[in-house]
Amino acid sequence: MSEQPHSPWHRVRAEITGGRQWIDRAVVLTYAVVTGLVVVGFTLLSEAASEAFGFVTRFGPAGPWLPLLWTPALAVALLWLTRRFAAGAAGSGIPQVVAALEYTMPEPERSRLVSLSLSLKKILLVSGGLFAGLSIGREGPTVQVGAGVMQHARRWLSPQSKIDAHDLIVAGAAAGIAAAFNTPLGGIIFAIEQLSRRRGFSHSGLVILSIVMAGLVAVSLLGNLTYFGELHAPQPDWSLLAPALVVALVSGLGGGLFTRLIVASFRGLPDRFSRWRVQHPFRFAAACALAVAVIGIVSGQATAGAGYAPTRALLEGQDELPSMYTVLKFCATWLSAWSGLPAGVFAPSLAIGAGIGRDVAWLMGVVGPAAIPLIAFGMVGFLSATTHGPLTAFIIVMEMVAGQSMVLSLMAVALVATGVSRLLTAPMFSELAALMAPPGADAKG
């Protein structure tokens, strides 16, 4: 009896005898492992850069004042390197990935936004920005780094392979998020929510497996850590309903304002600052960096870097930050991004959100362990408001703070904050991606 072409036995035999497709799959998974290794290297280098900046500020009696010279000088040098050798590395990195996925463009244009070479340069430039003391994070840039590493796998795939650049970019970008935050589920949700709006990924199983592989590599080398520890607070009850709602509304408004500022800063407005940025980019970057350095001195350097240490201190109930920390971190992050340097806003958004939660708790008289859930609510609220990705924000924060006991509360705050932000602004990454698309590029249907 002849075997039917769509019978189970036919499919099993096709899988067993399809040697080339197994090689292609092995290539993709190998690159997923490499992506995990690159992200681990990026993590270690960026942490070393942040610690080195701390050493600079403690260098003798003049140490606290050195950033007034150090930060602007290094910012100008980094901007020159970016514009000269890695123009596509400027900014967060997520808009570049979104543009590469959403717009049709020739290969040279896509390589300008996502490539292995650009990924390696991005790592060095972002680490340099942390060394300079700017208020930036590595998580958004890790999306571009992971996408560039994974896309490089195309040259080793067979012509018959149906794994295209779109699937590889999605896999690499999501793997980067998963490995950077140590949140594999967050990486998967990020791929679905942020990167596949116009077209799903055709090899979903392979994409998800790549994300998991990169995450496993990061966990095996860095440890199964939660960046902000574990919440030691009572489960939220109805007494926190009003404060939680205030946190969600303030986070939504703040995130919407932050998004509008970032988009307007890159798009340019008919004002003298925008004209100065275009006509004298290095002077403008130096001025932004000087302002960031001044903010750093005022805050006791609490605003420098991604903000992991201050956020963890707040979640652990160790509130030794200045009273204006939230506003200072907000301004330092915006100015760092406006300078034109490679600068991620993912982790700084979490720090700003944590500050919002702390401030609302203080204003509404919530003290002690009861204030800790509000800090987590601020984190998820501000992140979801800036990214317009409530599911991604909810999963990432839940996994990073081991907040499984607050699943429904975190999700509700993320949805409310996103809804408020959408009344004020369009999605930040899509808006910035449209600015990065080459002239004449059409959106993919």
Side-chain angles (χ1 to χ4, degrees), residues 400-440:
M400 291 186 75
V401 304
Q404 288 78 4
S405 62
M406 301 191 305
V407 169
L408 295 179
S409 302
L410 290 170
M411 185 181 297
V413 171
L415 291 172
V416 172
T418 303
V420 173
S421 179
R422 283 176 176 166
L423 298 176
L424 302 177
T425 180
M428 177 172 62
F429 297 139
S430 297
E431 290 284 289
L432 294 177
L435 298 178
M436 295 180 179

Short mmCIF file of all heavy atoms in Angstrom, two decimals, residues 400-440:
data_model
loop_
_atom_site.label_atom_id
_atom_site.label_comp_id
_atom_site.label_asym_id
_atom_site.label_seq_id
_atom_site.Cartn_x
_atom_site.Cartn_y
_atom_site.Cartn_z
N MET A 400 11.64 39.47 37.70
CA MET A 400 12.82 40.12 38.26
C MET A 400 12.71 40.34 39.76
O MET A 400 13.72 40.43 40.45
CB MET A 400 13.08 41.45 37.56
CG MET A 400 13.53 41.32 36.11
SD MET A 400 13.98 42.89 35.39
CE MET A 400 15.56 43.17 36.14
N VAL A 401 11.48 40.45 40.28
CA VAL A 401 11.32 40.67 41.71
C VAL A 401 10.74 39.45 42.41
O VAL A 401 10.43 39.51 43.60
CB VAL A 401 10.43 41.90 42.00
CG1 VAL A 401 10.97 43.14 41.32
CG2 VAL A 401 8.99 41.65 41.56
N ALA A 402 10.62 38.34 41.67
CA ALA A 402 10.01 37.13 42.22
C ALA A 402 8.66 37.47 42.86
O ALA A 402 8.37 37.10 43.99
CB ALA A 402 10.94 36.48 43.25
N GLY A 403 7.84 38.20 42.08
CA GLY A 403 6.57 38.69 42.61
C GLY A 403 5.37 37.88 42.16
O GLY A 403 4.34 38.45 41.78
N GLN A 404 5.49 36.55 42.21
CA GLN A 404 4.38 35.70 41.77
C GLN A 404 3.13 35.90 42.61
O GLN A 404 2.02 35.68 42.15
CB GLN A 404 4.80 34.23 41.79
CG GLN A 404 5.76 33.82 40.71
CD GLN A 404 7.21 34.23 40.99
OE1 GLN A 404 7.50 34.77 42.05
NE2 GLN A 404 8.10 33.98 40.04
N SER A 405 3.29 36.35 43.85
CA SER A 405 2.13 36.56 44.71
C SER A 405 1.32 37.79 44.31
O SER A 405 0.20 37.99 44.80
CB SER A 405 2.58 36.72 46.17
OG SER A 405 3.41 37.86 46.32
N MET A 406 1.88 38.62 43.40
CA MET A 406 1.19 39.85 42.98
C MET A 406 0.83 39.82 41.51
O MET A 406 0.75 40.87 40.86
CB MET A 406 2.06 41.07 43.28
CG MET A 406 2.43 41.23 44.74
SD MET A 406 3.19 42.84 45.08
CE MET A 406 4.54 42.85 43.91
N VAL A 407 0.62 38.65 40.95
CA VAL A 407 0.41 38.52 39.51
C VAL A 407 -0.73 39.40 39.03
O VAL A 407 -0.56 40.22 38.11
CB VAL A 407 0.14 37.04 39.15
CG1 VAL A 407 -0.35 36.94 37.72
CG2 VAL A 407 1.40 36.21 39.32
N LEU A 408 -1.89 39.26 39.60
CA LEU A 408 -3.06 40.00 39.13
C LEU A 408 -2.90 41.50 39.37
O LEU A 408 -3.29 42.32 38.52
CB LEU A 408 -4.32 39.48 39.83
CG LEU A 408 -4.71 38.03 39.51
CD1 LEU A 408 -5.97 37.64 40.27
CD2 LEU A 408 -4.93 37.86 38.01
N SER A 409 -2.31 41.87 40.49
CA SER A 409 -2.12 43.29 40.79
C SER A 409 -1.15 43.94 39.79
O SER A 409 -1.41 45.03 39.28
CB SER A 409 -1.58 43.46 42.21
OG SER A 409 -2.46 42.89 43.16
N LEU A 410 -0.03 43.27 39.52
CA LEU A 410 0.93 43.80 38.56
C LEU A 410 0.32 43.92 37.18
O LEU A 410 0.53 44.92 36.47
CB LEU A 410 2.16 42.90 38.51
CG LEU A 410 3.08 42.92 39.74
CD1 LEU A 410 4.11 41.80 39.65
CD2 LEU A 410 3.78 44.26 39.88
N MET A 411 -0.46 42.93 36.77
CA MET A 411 -1.09 42.96 35.46
C MET A 411 -2.09 44.11 35.36
O MET A 411 -2.14 44.83 34.35
CB MET A 411 -1.78 41.63 35.17
CG MET A 411 -2.37 41.53 33.77
SD MET A 411 -3.21 39.95 33.48
CE MET A 411 -1.83 38.81 33.65
N ALA A 412 -2.87 44.31 36.41
CA ALA A 412 -3.87 45.38 36.39
C ALA A 412 -3.20 46.74 36.29
O ALA A 412 -3.62 47.62 35.51
CB ALA A 412 -4.73 45.30 37.65
N VAL A 413 -2.13 46.96 37.06
CA VAL A 413 -1.42 48.24 37.01
C VAL A 413 -0.82 48.46 35.63
O VAL A 413 -0.87 49.58 35.09
CB VAL A 413 -0.32 48.28 38.10
CG1 VAL A 413 0.57 49.51 37.91
CG2 VAL A 413 -0.95 48.30 39.49
N ALA A 414 -0.24 47.42 35.04
CA ALA A 414 0.35 47.55 33.70
C ALA A 414 -0.69 47.95 32.68
O ALA A 414 -0.44 48.82 31.83
CB ALA A 414 1.01 46.24 33.31
N LEU A 415 -1.86 47.36 32.74
CA LEU A 415 -2.92 47.67 31.76
C LEU A 415 -3.43 49.09 31.95
O LEU A 415 -3.65 49.82 30.97
CB LEU A 415 -4.06 46.66 31.90
CG LEU A 415 -3.73 45.23 31.47
CD1 LEU A 415 -4.87 44.29 31.83
CD2 LEU A 415 -3.45 45.16 29.97
N VAL A 416 -3.64 49.52 33.19
CA VAL A 416 -4.13 50.87 33.44
C VAL A 416 -3.11 51.91 32.99
O VAL A 416 -3.44 52.89 32.32
CB VAL A 416 -4.47 51.06 34.93
CG1 VAL A 416 -4.79 52.53 35.23
CG2 VAL A 416 -5.66 50.19 35.33
N ALA A 417 -1.84 51.71 33.36
CA ALA A 417 -0.79 52.66 32.99
C ALA A 417 -0.64 52.75 31.47
O ALA A 417 -0.47 53.84 30.92
CB ALA A 417 0.53 52.26 33.63
N THR A 418 -0.71 51.62 30.79
CA THR A 418 -0.61 51.63 29.33
C THR A 418 -1.78 52.37 28.71
O THR A 418 -1.62 53.14 27.76
CB THR A 418 -0.55 50.19 28.79
OG1 THR A 418 0.55 49.50 29.38
CG2 THR A 418 -0.37 50.19 27.28
N GLY A 419 -2.97 52.13 29.24
CA GLY A 419 -4.14 52.83 28.73
C GLY A 419 -4.03 54.33 28.88
O GLY A 419 -4.38 55.09 27.96
N VAL A 420 -3.54 54.80 30.02
CA VAL A 420 -3.35 56.24 30.22
C VAL A 420 -2.30 56.79 29.27
O VAL A 420 -2.48 57.85 28.65
CB VAL A 420 -2.95 56.51 31.69
CG1 VAL A 420 -2.57 57.98 31.87
CG2 VAL A 420 -4.08 56.14 32.63
N SER A 421 -1.21 56.07 29.11
CA SER A 421 -0.13 56.53 28.22
C SER A 421 -0.60 56.63 26.77
O SER A 421 -0.21 57.55 26.05
CB SER A 421 1.07 55.57 28.33
OG SER A 421 2.11 55.96 27.48
N ARG A 422 -1.44 55.71 26.37
CA ARG A 422 -1.92 55.72 24.97
C ARG A 422 -2.79 56.92 24.67
O ARG A 422 -2.97 57.28 23.50
CB ARG A 422 -2.67 54.43 24.69
CG ARG A 422 -1.75 53.24 24.46
CD ARG A 422 -2.52 51.95 24.27
NE ARG A 422 -1.60 50.85 23.96
CZ ARG A 422 -1.93 49.57 24.00
NH1 ARG A 422 -3.17 49.21 24.34
NH2 ARG A 422 -1.04 48.64 23.70
N LEU A 423 -3.34 57.55 25.70
CA LEU A 423 -4.11 58.78 25.48
C LEU A 423 -3.19 59.96 25.17
O LEU A 423 -3.64 60.96 24.62
CB LEU A 423 -4.94 59.10 26.73
CG LEU A 423 -6.00 58.07 27.13
CD1 LEU A 423 -6.66 58.48 28.44
CD2 LEU A 423 -7.05 57.91 26.03
N LEU A 424 -1.92 59.81 25.53
CA LEU A 424 -0.98 60.92 25.37
C LEU A 424 -0.05 60.75 24.18
O LEU A 424 0.41 61.75 23.61
CB LEU A 424 -0.12 61.05 26.64
CG LEU A 424 -0.86 61.28 27.97
CD1 LEU A 424 0.13 61.31 29.12
CD2 LEU A 424 -1.66 62.57 27.91
N THR A 425 0.26 59.53 23.80
CA THR A 425 1.31 59.33 22.80
C THR A 425 1.15 58.00 22.09
O THR A 425 0.50 57.08 22.61
CB THR A 425 2.70 59.38 23.48
OG1 THR A 425 3.73 59.19 22.51
CG2 THR A 425 2.83 58.29 24.54
N ALA A 426 1.75 57.91 20.92
CA ALA A 426 1.82 56.65 20.17
C ALA A 426 2.97 55.82 20.74
O ALA A 426 3.80 56.33 21.50
CB ALA A 426 2.03 56.93 18.69
N PRO A 427 3.04 54.52 20.39
CA PRO A 427 4.14 53.68 20.90
C PRO A 427 5.51 54.25 20.55
O PRO A 427 5.76 54.61 19.40
CB PRO A 427 3.89 52.33 20.20
CG PRO A 427 2.43 52.31 19.92
CD PRO A 427 2.07 53.74 19.62
N MET A 428 6.39 54.34 21.53
CA MET A 428 7.69 54.97 21.35
C MET A 428 8.55 54.24 20.32
O MET A 428 9.13 54.87 19.43
CB MET A 428 8.44 55.02 22.68
CG MET A 428 9.84 55.60 22.59
SD MET A 428 10.63 55.87 24.20
CE MET A 428 10.71 54.20 24.85
N PHE A 429 8.63 52.92 20.41
CA PHE A 429 9.53 52.20 19.52
C PHE A 429 9.08 52.28 18.06
O PHE A 429 9.90 52.39 17.15
CB PHE A 429 9.64 50.73 19.96
CG PHE A 429 10.23 50.56 21.33
CD1 PHE A 429 9.72 49.63 22.22
CD2 PHE A 429 11.30 51.34 21.74
CE1 PHE A 429 10.26 49.48 23.49
CE2 PHE A 429 11.86 51.20 23.00
CZ PHE A 429 11.32 50.26 23.89
N SER A 430 7.77 52.25 17.83
CA SER A 430 7.27 52.37 16.46
C SER A 430 7.52 53.77 15.91
O SER A 430 7.87 53.93 14.73
CB SER A 430 5.77 52.05 16.42
OG SER A 430 5.54 50.72 16.80
N GLU A 431 7.33 54.79 16.75
CA GLU A 431 7.57 56.16 16.31
C GLU A 431 9.04 56.37 15.95
O GLU A 431 9.36 56.97 14.92
CB GLU A 431 7.17 57.13 17.42
CG GLU A 431 5.68 57.23 17.66
CD GLU A 431 4.98 58.03 16.58
OE1 GLU A 431 5.16 59.26 16.54
OE2 GLU A 431 4.27 57.41 15.76
N LEU A 432 9.94 55.87 16.79
CA LEU A 432 11.36 56.03 16.51
C LEU A 432 11.80 55.17 15.33
O LEU A 432 12.68 55.56 14.57
CB LEU A 432 12.18 55.66 17.76
CG LEU A 432 12.00 56.57 18.97
CD1 LEU A 432 12.81 56.05 20.16
CD2 LEU A 432 12.42 58.00 18.64
N ALA A 433 11.19 53.99 15.18
CA ALA A 433 11.52 53.13 14.04
C ALA A 433 11.18 53.81 12.72
O ALA A 433 11.92 53.69 11.74
CB ALA A 433 10.78 51.79 14.16
N ALA A 434 10.06 54.53 12.69
CA ALA A 434 9.67 55.23 11.47
C ALA A 434 10.70 56.30 11.10
O ALA A 434 10.96 56.55 9.92
CB ALA A 434 8.30 55.86 11.65
N LEU A 435 11.34 56.91 12.11
CA LEU A 435 12.37 57.91 11.83
C LEU A 435 13.64 57.27 11.28
O LEU A 435 14.41 57.94 10.59
CB LEU A 435 12.71 58.67 13.11
CG LEU A 435 11.57 59.48 13.76
CD1 LEU A 435 12.07 60.13 15.05
CD2 LEU A 435 11.05 60.54 12.81
N MET A 436 13.86 56.00 11.59
CA MET A 436 15.09 55.31 11.17
C MET A 436 14.94 54.58 9.85
O MET A 436 15.94 54.10 9.30
CB MET A 436 15.51 54.32 12.26
CG MET A 436 15.91 55.01 13.55
SD MET A 436 16.41 53.85 14.83
CE MET A 436 16.81 54.99 16.16
N ALA A 437 13.70 54.45 9.34
CA ALA A 437 13.50 53.78 8.06
C ALA A 437 14.08 54.63 6.94
O ALA A 437 13.95 55.86 6.96
CB ALA A 437 12.03 53.52 7.83
N PRO A 438 14.77 54.04 5.97
CA PRO A 438 15.32 54.81 4.87
C PRO A 438 14.24 55.45 4.03
O PRO A 438 13.10 54.94 3.98
CB PRO A 438 16.13 53.77 4.07
CG PRO A 438 15.51 52.47 4.42
CD PRO A 438 15.04 52.59 5.83
N PRO A 439 14.51 56.56 3.35
CA PRO A 439 13.51 57.20 2.51
C PRO A 439 12.97 56.25 1.46
O PRO A 439 13.71 55.52 0.82
CB PRO A 439 14.28 58.36 1.85
CG PRO A 439 15.44 58.61 2.77
CD PRO A 439 15.80 57.29 3.36
N GLY A 440 11.66 56.23 1.30
CA GLY A 440 11.04 55.36 0.31
C GLY A 440 10.74 53.97 0.79
O GLY A 440 10.13 53.18 0.06
#
